[in-house]
Amino acid sequence: MLKLSRLTDYAAVVMAQIARHSQASHAAADLAEAVQLPHPTVSKTLKMLARAGLLVSQRGAQGGYRLARPASQITAADIIAAIEGPVAMTECSQAEGDCELVATCGVADNWQRVSLAMRTLLESVTLAHLADTAPIKLPVQLPIQTISLSAATA
Amino acid sequence: MLKLSRLTDYAAVVMAQIARHSQASHAAADLAEAVQLPHPTVSKTLKMLARAGLLVSQRGAQGGYRLARPASQITAADIIAAIEGPVAMTECSQAEGDCELVATCGVADNWQRVSLAMRTLLESVTLAHLADTAPIKLPVQLPIQTISLSAATA
DNA sequence: TCAATTGAGTACCATTTTAGTCCTGTATAA
DNA sequence: TTATACAGGACTAAAATGGTACTCAATTGA
């Protein structure tokens, strides 16, 4: 379904939770309680986010996690990449030359372009947007016209 | 990695192959040969595409598969949906009310908007685009500006 | 009417991915 | 120095995915 994995979903929720109180340090246990998810799973998610450089961790008493940079500078693509790896629609859009079907495939190039457009879209959504309880406005009818796909659009 | 499943990838390749010779009927075995993939897998993919109404099948000698409608009227979203189900980023963007974490989640609405934008993007890419050996031009820098995400864009 | 062709359907197995748990180690602050 | 809290890794269970095999049904044409 081209879905995010559950862990990625958790990551977004947890990040949003932290972003809403970005001054404080958040212990894994507190976050787990706040979002009603199992401790170990939240903990694992936090570790992945920290390793990806989106969070900084502080050990010891009064320690916890904080955003590594302002919420407006963390994108949805960052969060997804932290958990699932780089956003790419097909095998061959990640690393080129691995697919032995290139000759008969014939759609690789175009998939990569679509993939790129999706990545760009996800990069345009920031954590600040996600954490905002007021819904972001997405003029969803737009892309059809604005993202020109015809070869004529040189 | 927000990746397509391998079967979906196959589906796109096979559809493109059919689209390039849309007059003829294509036997599963021929297609498998053309795209260098195992027969049974291609066969399975074709059946899913046919059930989704993207292909029509003809049994018996000289039978095979043909496009149910012109390639320009079949979208990437159609193909993905045929194999993986509807494009949706999170559990709750498919059917509402199933997630018992709504209260603590706080990002559901915004994810749904992002999801919708992605679906729109995929709907704007047609099989005709994919099958075209000439790469489609995607002005990938555009969306950041054009797809306004700020709440100010009422 | 019969045989060859070709898709339909189903059941099944192997593999991989995903999710979740647990345990031990280490850094920090009070 | 002790309680707190993250780090890391090993491990298990469950689910999704991918692939195979086999049988049935429909169509064509000799």
Side-chain angles (χ1 to χ4, degrees), chain A residues 27-28 47 57 59-61 65:
Chain A
K47 271 183 282 188
S57 64
R59 291 187 180 187
Y65 290 94

Side-chain angles (χ1 to χ4, degrees), chain B residues 110-146:
Chain B
N110 290 332
W111 268 137
Q112 287 196 25
R113 282 176 178 75
V114 174
S115 186
L116 201 50
M118 297 208 358
R119 184 156 50 230
T120 305
L121 171 61
L122 290 173
E123 281 167 357
S124 71
V125 179
T126 70
L127 176 57
H129 288 131
L130 291 177
D132 197 342
T133 45
I136 52 178
K137 301 281 204 240
L138 267 174
V140 287
Q141 290 83 4
L142 261 186
I144 291 180
Q145 286 84 28
T146 54

